[in-house]
Amino acid sequence: MFKLKNKAAYITAGLIFLQHTLSFAAPVELSLQDSITYALKNNPSIHIAGEDKKRSEFSVDETKAGKKPTVSLGSSYDYQGSSDKDKDSFNNSLRMNWQLYSGGKTEARIEQAQIGVRSADLQVEKTRQQLILDATTNYYSVLEAKNMQAVNEESVANLKAHLDIVQAKYQEGVAAKAEVLRSEVEVANAEQNLIKAQNQYELAVADLLTTMNMDAGTEVQLQGELNYQADTRSLQEAMAFARQNRPEAVQAQLSIDSAEKDIKIAESNKRPSVSLSASTGWDDRLLPDNDANWSVGASASWNIFDAGVTKSQINQAESSFNKARLEAEQTANTIEQEVRQSYLNMKEAEKRLQTTEVTVNKANEDLYIAQETYKAGAATNLDVFDAQLALTQAKTNHVQALYDYNVNKAKLDKAMGAGADTL
């Protein structure tokens, strides 16, 4: 009885282990939104952008410190040796300095640092939108590869079925050996194309996993399909939206604002600066006492002549300001070109969809007729191969048009600066 119980326990444990193993090996089911969510959560680029934003926020704290007083404590030890008597002494000092007016330099630097925070925040959004596009494109690439694999599998199945018919005819003596050999060659070529399609599927999955920062060995199962959903946006609407929402456009304007602050920083050297200071010092004691010497004072300095250094700095800052304005104009043109290109490519793919769907139906009918007439002896082997090739090409064109439409629609979202909620 004890042995039976032991055996039952081992079987139960084995079944539990097998169940857990199977559950771990189960493919990860992914929708398009799941893929985007994983990418936004796990991809290192979004975290890098987040760290850059944190650094820019710390930079604001650093520049704000320029409006606050600073305190420093100093201490020194001195030793003098002689034949009569050795002597040592301790010297201590405490100093405070507070710049009350810097000619506007400190204020301009604070404002510039705050602009940097806004720009870094936009960089996070820019990275986010790029990840959305990458995840979407890779997701559709997997679906495209999956569909192409199915097209090639169907081609192999059709050609193998035709080979069976040719071999049967050859056995009956109504088909030549050359027809059998040619049919075998066509099957082999179709199988080669299928192997390539299977490899393309594996590569597409690997790209998607990389974007989501998931283990390369993860098996995935996509829930969606390549389909067509009409996009009603006009080109003018897309352009207008991009001008207001594209992160690069807003960043370009912030670069102009930052360059303007550089001019103010350079101009501050033409103005006086005022500081308040206080200090004390004491000897041979750890802390100051009532006998310590204290001093408090205010100082002002004004650089009346610096041999043209300030003027040169102002000229440089103004040149940078003009450059920032020109770069903003260039950025606006680039954004408009990206919007236009994505929009027109999407519309072109949409038109191809309308024709390829009809072509697939006609190619299916043509293959059926070729197969039936060959069985009846009224068509040649070549007629069937031509019809199969035409069907494979028609289905390939249809899958490609679906992929191009959906990817260019996603590219249009990115070019407009649209977020995930608009997908």
Side-chain angles (χ1 to χ4, degrees):
M1 180 64 70
F2 178 77
K3 289 184 177 180
L4 287 175
K5 286 184 178 179
N6 255 354
K7 186 179 290 186
Y10 285 133
I11 293 173
T12 302
L15 290 174
I16 292 173
F17 175 79
L18 180 61
Q19 181 181 3
H20 279 284
T21 302
L22 292 174
S23 65
F24 286 135
V28 178
E29 294 187 357
L30 292 173
S31 65
L32 174 58
Q33 191 57 53
D34 291 335
S35 301
I36 292 172
T37 300
Y38 277 119
L40 294 177
K41 180 181 179 182
N42 300 325
N43 195 284
S45 61
I46 195 71
H47 299 296
I48 292 172
E51 291 300 322
D52 286 339
K53 180 184 175 183
K54 289 180 182 178
R55 186 177 62 182
S56 66
E57 290 171 344
F58 294 139
S59 178
V60 174
D61 296 334
E62 179 186 0
T63 54
K64 284 182 177 180
K67 294 180 69 67
K68 300 174 183 178
T70 60
V71 179
S72 62
L73 176 65
S75 182
S76 66
Y77 170 76
D78 183 54
Y79 172 80
Q80 294 179 352
S82 66
S83 58
D84 297 332
K85 185 179 180 182
D86 293 341
K87 182 180 180 182
D88 58 357
S89 63
F90 293 92
N91 299 302
N92 302 287
S93 64
L94 181 66
R95 292 182 176 87
M96 183 277 292
N97 189 71
W98 190 357
Q99 188 173 51
L100 302 177
Y101 179 67
S102 63
K105 180 182 293 185
T106 301
E107 291 77 9
R109 284 178 173 170
I110 292 172
E111 291 172 356
Q112 192 176 54
Q114 291 170 338
I115 291 172
V117 172
R118 294 199 292 274
S119 183
D121 193 41
L122 288 166
Q123 187 63 34
V124 173
E125 179 60 23
K126 177 184 173 183
T127 304
R128 177 178 171 274
Q129 291 178 8
Q130 184 62 51
L131 276 177
I132 291 173
L133 175 60
D134 292 344
T136 302
T137 301
N138 290 332
Y139 184 88
Y140 287 143
S141 293
V142 175
L143 290 178
E144 179 198 25
K146 179 183 176 183
N147 287 355
M148 288 307 306
Q149 185 175 322
V151 168
N152 283 278
E153 286 172 349
E154 182 186 59
S155 177
V156 170
N158 288 341
L159 289 170
K160 282 184 175 180
H162 178 69
L163 175 60
D164 292 340
I165 295 171
V166 175
Q167 287 175 333
K169 282 180 170 287
Y170 176 71
Q171 295 296 329
E172 295 171 2
V174 295
K177 180 66 175 178
E179 291 185 66
V180 176
L181 295 175
R182 177 61 190 277
S183 298
E184 290 174 342
V185 169
E186 291 295 327
V187 170
N189 288 338
E191 288 175 337
Q192 289 291 314
N193 291 333
L194 176 58
I195 292 171
K196 292 180 180 179
Q198 290 169 338
N199 184 58
Q200 287 300 315
Y201 175 79
E202 295 298 329
L203 291 174
V205 170
D207 287 341
L208 179 59
L209 290 173
T210 299
T211 302
M212 296 187 298
N213 200 26
M214 296 177 67
D215 186 82
T218 304
E219 185 180 353
V220 298
Q221 182 176 344
L222 272 56
Q223 296 175 344
E225 292 291 340
L226 278 177
N227 52 35
Y228 167 73
Q229 291 183 347
D231 193 310
T232 59
R233 292 173 291 188
S234 68
L235 179 58
Q236 291 73 22
E237 290 172 342
M239 290 283 194
F241 191 93
R243 293 187 196 103
Q244 297 295 323
N245 296 277
R246 183 74 179 264
E248 290 90 332
V250 185
Q251 280 181 318
Q253 182 57 52
L254 290 177
S255 294
I256 295 175
D257 297 340
S258 181
E260 192 173 16
K261 301 305 176 186
D262 277 329
I263 297 175
K264 291 184 177 181
I265 291 171
E267 289 176 340
S268 68
N269 293 326
K270 297 166 61 177
R271 305 184 187 97
S273 63
V274 180
S275 298
L276 178 67
S277 62
S279 64
T280 185
W282 63 97
D283 298 331
D284 300 326
R285 293 182 305 277
L286 180 62
L287 295 172
D289 57 15
N290 294 332
D291 295 330
N293 297 318
W294 290 86
S295 66
V296 178
S299 63
S301 64
W302 194 347
N303 196 355
I304 298 175
F305 178 71
D306 62 2
V309 172
T310 298
K311 183 178 180 181
S312 296
Q313 291 174 343
I314 293 173
N315 290 337
Q316 290 178 55
E318 288 176 344
S319 180
S320 297
F321 175 75
N322 293 331
K323 178 184 176 182
R325 292 176 61 183
L326 292 171
E327 287 176 340
E329 183 179 350
Q330 187 179 48
T331 298
N333 292 335
T334 301
I335 290 172
E336 287 191 3
Q337 179 61 20
E338 288 180 11
V339 171
R340 183 179 291 105
Q341 184 176 3
S342 300
Y343 182 86
L344 294 178
N345 285 341
M346 180 185 71
K347 290 299 180 182
E348 181 256 348
E350 187 177 40
K351 292 176 182 176
R352 283 193 284 126
L353 274 174
Q354 298 170 0
T355 58
T356 55
E357 191 170 358
V358 175
T359 305
V360 168
N361 293 333
K362 291 182 177 180
N364 267 316
E365 185 178 357
D366 182 46
L367 177 61
Y368 175 77
I369 292 172
Q371 289 171 335
E372 293 302 314
T373 52
Y374 179 82
K375 292 176 185 177
T380 65
N381 217 15
L382 188 59
D383 292 332
V384 177
F385 298 150
D386 287 343
Q388 178 59 56
L389 179 62
L391 177 60
T392 300
Q393 187 61 55
K395 288 192 172 184
T396 298
N397 291 342
H398 185 64
V399 171
Q400 187 66 54
L402 273 174
Y403 172 79
D404 290 344
Y405 176 80
N406 283 283
V407 167
N408 281 292
K409 186 177 179 182
K411 287 182 178 180
L412 179 60
D413 287 328
K414 164 65 170 55
M416 292 169 57
D421 55 338
T422 62
L423 294 175

